[in-house]
Amino acid sequence: QGSLLDLDILGQTRPDMALVAAYVGGFIFSPLPASFLGFMAGMLTDILSGTAIGINAFPTMLVGMLAASGKRLLFLNRALAHAAMLFVVSCINGLITAFFLVFFYDSYVFTMAMLRVILFQAIYTSLAGTTVIIAVDPLSALVGKIRKWVVKEQADVVSGV
């Protein structure tokens, strides 16, 4: 994800593109595929970054599931609302990862260093994610129309029309 968006404004802080993928997937798909997308994005991040396998998979999976579950409740159609949600979700994701590091690896030094980066990463993630959501929004509408058409066609086949 560092090579995807190489922004050096705040040092080595980068947006969490796996989190963005899970969040955007949550607004396009239902909870199960969004959770799977989040899990795979988190695992891919762990594999490519050399961190402990699975440490990002669970929090990112939760983001996909919560975004898919909450899209009907929140009706997020504004960029500012997406930016705020991505900021909060990114902070929570960073805190969950920090908790895993302390609980499973007893790594207080690395966790304290990570806590200093969470805020800046959340800002980057919310900006990058909002940009992606704005770009993907027409695709989401198209997927919804195709889904409705398929359901209608299936209902016509079942009813014998």
Side-chain angles (χ1 to χ4, degrees), residues 126-149:
S126 66
L127 292 175
T130 303
T131 305
V132 170
I133 291 243
I134 290 169
V136 171
D137 194 36
L139 177 65
S140 177
L142 178 65
V143 168
K145 288 179 184 179
I146 291 171
R147 196 176 290 149
K148 286 179 185 176
W149 178 77

Side-chain angles (χ1 to χ4, degrees), residues 99-120:
F99 170 76
F100 281 162
L101 288 172
V102 169
F103 188 76
F104 290 113
Y105 299 103
D106 200 25
S107 176
Y108 290 103
V109 174
F110 183 71
T111 302
M112 294 312 290
M114 187 181 161
L115 288 175
R116 292 186 192 115
V117 174
I118 289 174
L119 179 65
F120 297 118

Side-chain angles (χ1 to χ4, degrees), residues 43 77 107-108 153:
M43 286 297 282
N77 293 327
S107 176
Y108 290 103
E153 290 296 317

Side-chain angles (χ1 to χ4, degrees), residues 29-104:
F29 304 114
S30 62
L32 186 61
S35 298
F36 182 72
L37 176 68
F39 179 79
M40 294 309 291
M43 286 297 282
L44 187 62
T45 300
D46 291 339
I47 291 168
L48 294 178
S49 67
T51 60
I53 302 296
I55 201 159
N56 287 309
F58 177 70
T60 311
M61 178 186 75
L62 282 178
V63 167
M65 183 187 70
L66 292 174
S69 300
K71 68 182 172 190
R72 290 182 184 88
L73 298 173
L74 299 173
F75 295 107
L76 294 175
N77 293 327
R78 294 179 171 42
L80 185 59
H82 284 295
M85 284 297 295
L86 276 163
F87 179 80
V88 169
V89 165
S90 182
C91 285
I92 292 171
N93 182 44
L95 291 173
I96 289 172
T97 304
F99 170 76
F100 281 162
L101 288 172
V102 169
F103 188 76
F104 290 113

